Amino acid sequence: MFPPQFDYRRPENLEEALEAVAADDAVALAGGHDLVPKLKQRETNPGTVVDLAGLDGLRGVGSGQNEVEVGALTTYAAMLDTAPKGVDALLDATGEVGDTQIRNRGTVGGNLAAAHPASDIPAAALALDATLHLTGPGGVRSLPTEAFYGDDGETVCGDDELLTELTVPQAAGDGSAYARKTHPSTGYAAVGVAARLCLDSMGISEARVAVTGLLDSPARLESVERALVGAGATDEEFSEATARAGEAFDESGVRSDHLVSADQRLRLLPVYAEKAISQALDRAVDRTGVSA
Amino acid sequence: MSTDDREAIDAEGFEGEVDPEDAPGYVGHSQQRREDAPLLRGEATYTDDFGGPETTSLAFVRAEVAHADIVEIETADAAAIDGVLAVYTWADLADGDGPMVLPASTSPLDVAVPGHPVLATERVRYDGQPVAAVVAEDRYLAADGVEAVDITYDERGVVTEPDEAAKADAPTLYEGAPDNVAVTAGMGDEDATAEAFEAADEVVSVELENNRLVPSALEPRAAVARWGGEDGLTVTISSQSAHGHRQKLSQTLGLLERDIRVIAPGSAGGSVTKATTIRARRWPRGPPGIWAVR
């Protein structure tokens, strides 16, 4: 449990940080919950660890034009303390991460960039249609969450780029939620589902539902989304839409390990999809007063 | 218990609760713990605090297979690392002064399993068994050394369930116990028990599984060893059984108990499993001074 030797740099501004991470075999350190265990297990052997702790500008939650701006180095605890309106799924997911100590240290951006297949935040970001902003030597490029993650558990973040900000749209008339089955010994999501629903007088006008823990990368439940749009708010109709959530996935592509089998994850999926969707709907009804 | 329940209890107390005013003595009272203050202030001394600047670090290369013959142990790369002082295998220890084998058991029962060599001899018999030991200037270099040791195994069959291990076709772990049974023991009155079952109105049968215990102390197993020449061996160890360790060290190293002093300082947790690593300040007469129990 002793890491190999590495150089340590602690840049004081983003420019220096970008220059430092662009070096060969340099890795960025935010909260460290992904990197430090890998170092201690000697699963990674970077030449340089670039500690981002000095980049105060990347910390904090702000409001823009109908959107919430989350600096990548915002801790989970700061996110929960700030509790911006209209991004409930993100707050639900943030509250599920680890325990108090972990939430005091771990960062929202670090969670997204580490791309652990069972991370909570990516599912919420995907359901809320968040935009991820990557800063590199050529400036900032902004990607929707789905474009940030490949299918293989990797991200498109370049070696010379840093994830610097997350922006989440706030819409009137929507409600969102995240629900997960927590694995009792690891604390990770066996399956976690985030949902965002928009209501109008006709019922559900938009739906985005995303799952984590199931595949190597977060994924949308498009068949469920299609079934929800236009649906009335009866329990039976949701159950019908969510019960078939697993059918879209080939079991061979579903994560399976000694903790949770693929079959079990697929069985959990409809249950937690229904929890997330029904809570998102309750919240949407509360916000809009529409009784769909 | 829900938060609501807790709030209700806080507000009203629960049925049967003893008012501390009415319960003199220990029961019903919060007790002032005497040992906590130095722990909370960071003033406690654990094994790691006893090393001193010249202390070297020892780390083990452990088997990554459960049952295998050791074909080759390649230590040259590890030994060549700057700061790695020595790499030992059983071949080095076998020529030392002491037996370097921990007695199998202090039980009066007839145990068919032989003693446990501190490093694996020709075969490993469990995942994690120490196979080589690396001594280095610090623990990071020791870990580098461990990573650089390359062991070639010829794997043998494994079983993970006691029932399976006792079957005729199970791989044999020790030649002295060909059926993998270490000890057979009985207690009580067999005839009387059989009679009681015979006379019972109903007999219920149940299979009991004795789960493996894996205690995980906050302070890992750790020890500091100092060879003082004629003053003998001093071992500071995170453990609750100083006398037991002195006896085992004596038997393993071939030293008299009177030449060994074992000190058990503050320990962040114990629970039976405490004792693997040792750090030696100096190496007396070759490799001894090192030992490992599991």
Side-chain angles (χ1 to χ4, degrees):
Chain A
M1 293 298 278
F2 295 98
Q5 197 164 27
F6 53 82
D7 290 330
Y8 173 83
R9 289 188 65 181
R10 191 179 186 278
E12 292 303 320
N13 59 57
L14 185 55
E15 236 173 35
E16 277 176 40
L18 288 169
E19 182 247 318
V21 296
D24 280 349
D25 68 8
V27 294
L29 169 70
H33 295 131
D34 182 70
L35 178 63
V36 174
K38 280 183 181 160
L39 284 170
K40 288 189 162 192
Q41 305 273 12
R42 295 187 174 229
E43 286 174 20
T44 184
N45 188 3
T48 307
V49 170
V50 182
D51 187 349
L52 305 180
L55 306 185
D56 291 333
L58 298 187
R59 227 169 260 132
V61 182
S63 328
Q65 192 96 36
N66 298 323
E67 64 181 17
V68 176
E69 300 162 349
V70 183
L73 292 180
T74 305
T75 62
Y76 306 115
M79 181 79 206
L80 293 168
D81 283 348
T82 319
K85 301 272 179 258
V87 293
D88 287 340
L90 183 58
L91 295 176
D92 288 349
T94 306
E96 292 282 6
V97 178
D99 53 24
T100 303
Q101 285 83 354
I102 285 172
R103 289 194 292 272
N104 278 335
R105 181 164 187 85
T107 69
V108 174
N111 184 300
L112 288 161
H116 187 285
S119 268
D120 305 288
I121 309 285
L126 193 49
L128 294 173
D129 198 13
T131 302
L132 306 186
H133 305 275
L134 309 178
T135 308
V140 180
R141 60 177 179 137
S142 301
L143 302 170
T145 305
E146 14 206 352
F148 182 71
Y149 294 103
D151 297 332
D152 51 359
E154 301 289 321
T155 75
V156 300
C157 189
D159 290 341
D160 55 356
E161 286 182 310
L162 286 170
L163 172 64
T164 45
E165 193 183 40
L166 165 83
T167 49
V168 192
Q170 290 167 301
D174 75 349
S176 70
Y178 174 74
R180 74 171 192 176
K181 170 64 183 174
T182 304
H183 186 269
S185 72
T186 64
Y188 277 114
V191 159
V193 179
R196 172 178 173 271
L197 305 174
C198 287
L199 287 185
D200 62 18
S201 55
M202 304 296 288
I204 296 171
S205 58
E206 279 178 48
R208 282 176 71 95
V209 185
V211 61
T212 186
L214 192 71
L215 308 177
D216 290 335
S217 298
R220 284 173 66 182
L221 303 178
E222 285 167 11
S223 63
V224 176
E225 293 173 355
R226 279 194 300 274
L228 285 170
V229 173
T234 65
D235 288 348
E236 293 74 37
E237 277 155 321
F238 294 133
S239 299
E240 208 174 307
T242 55
R244 292 198 301 272
E247 289 172 14
F249 298 98
D250 178 9
E251 193 173 320
S252 66
V254 173
R255 295 173 67 227
S256 192
D257 54 32
H258 64 292
L259 299 169
V260 190
S261 68
D263 177 60
Q264 197 180 353
R265 286 183 211 268
L266 285 171
R267 286 164 191 261
L268 289 166
L269 176 63
V271 179
Y272 286 85
E274 185 167 353
K275 279 182 201 279
I277 290 165
S278 103
Q279 187 163 21
L281 185 70
D282 287 348
R283 286 172 174 170
V285 168
D286 282 349
R287 285 185 80 191
T288 59
V290 173
S291 54
Chain B
M1 196 191 292
S2 74
T3 310
D4 288 347
D5 292 340
R6 283 203 201 92
E7 281 169 6
I9 287 170
D10 287 344
E12 300 158 27
F14 57 89
E15 204 183 332
E17 185 178 39
V18 179
D19 186 336
E21 298 289 336
D22 303 332
Y26 292 103
V27 177
H29 285 267
S30 297
Q31 298 300 320
Q32 201 74 38
R33 283 165 57 89
R34 289 180 296 177
E35 63 271 45
D36 287 356
L39 303 176
L40 294 172
R41 283 200 295 258
E43 293 165 0
T45 48
Y46 298 111
T47 304
D48 192 45
D49 298 313
F50 286 87
E54 290 165 41
T55 310
T56 57
S57 275
L58 182 143
F60 291 105
V61 184
R62 296 177 177 279
E64 291 175 350
V65 291
H67 192 197
D69 291 313
I70 298 171
V71 178
E72 194 184 1
I73 307 176
E74 181 51 65
T75 60
D77 286 354
I81 293 172
D82 198 19
V84 168
L85 304 174
V87 184
Y88 295 111
T89 66
W90 176 254
D92 302 304
L93 302 192
D95 296 336
D97 294 341
M100 302 309 280
V101 176
L102 268 163
S105 168
T106 49
S107 160
L109 297 166
D110 187 15
V111 177
V113 173
H116 191 300
V118 297
L119 295 175
T121 54
E122 81 295 346
R123 206 203 291 194
V124 295
R125 292 184 169 85
Y126 58 86
D127 177 45
Q129 182 172 359
V131 179
V134 177
V135 184
E137 284 171 6
D138 65 44
R139 58 182 64 182
Y140 295 88
L141 290 165
D144 288 348
V146 166
E147 210 181 7
V149 172
D150 190 27
I151 303 168
T152 310
Y153 295 104
D154 189 3
E155 291 195 44
R156 288 171 172 260
V158 296
V159 280
T160 55
E161 298 292 332
D163 285 352
E164 297 293 317
K167 286 182 179 166
D169 59 348
T172 295
L173 208 53
Y174 291 99
E175 307 310 334
D179 51 1
N180 290 328
V181 175
V183 65
T184 304
M187 62 189 294
D189 185 333
E190 196 171 352
D191 293 339
T193 308
E195 225 167 88
F197 275 112
E198 195 72 33
D201 291 332
E202 188 83 45
V203 175
V204 179
S205 142
V206 61
E207 193 168 299
L208 291 174
E209 185 170 330
N210 205 355
N211 282 312
R212 181 183 180 188
L213 285 175
V214 188
S216 192
L218 284 178
E219 183 189 23
R221 288 164 287 181
V224 179
R226 182 177 185 182
W227 180 252
E230 287 182 4
D231 294 335
L233 177 69
T234 303
V235 176
T236 306
I237 187 165
S238 176
S239 172
Q240 59 278 62
S241 50
H243 293 278
H245 285 304
R246 184 169 70 165
Q247 184 193 36
K248 289 278 169 59
L249 278 171
S250 162
Q251 293 164 341
T252 307
L253 300 175
L255 295 170
L256 294 172
E257 282 196 39
R258 69 167 188 228
D259 291 333
I260 303 173
R261 184 177 180 215
V262 176
I263 300 168
S267 171
S271 287
V272 187
T273 56
K274 275 291 189 71
T276 300
T277 317
I278 207 161
R279 301 196 296 173
R281 182 179 287 262
R282 289 182 50 214
W283 290 88
R285 300 163 294 171
I290 135 180
W291 59 280
V293 292
R294 187 176 173 114

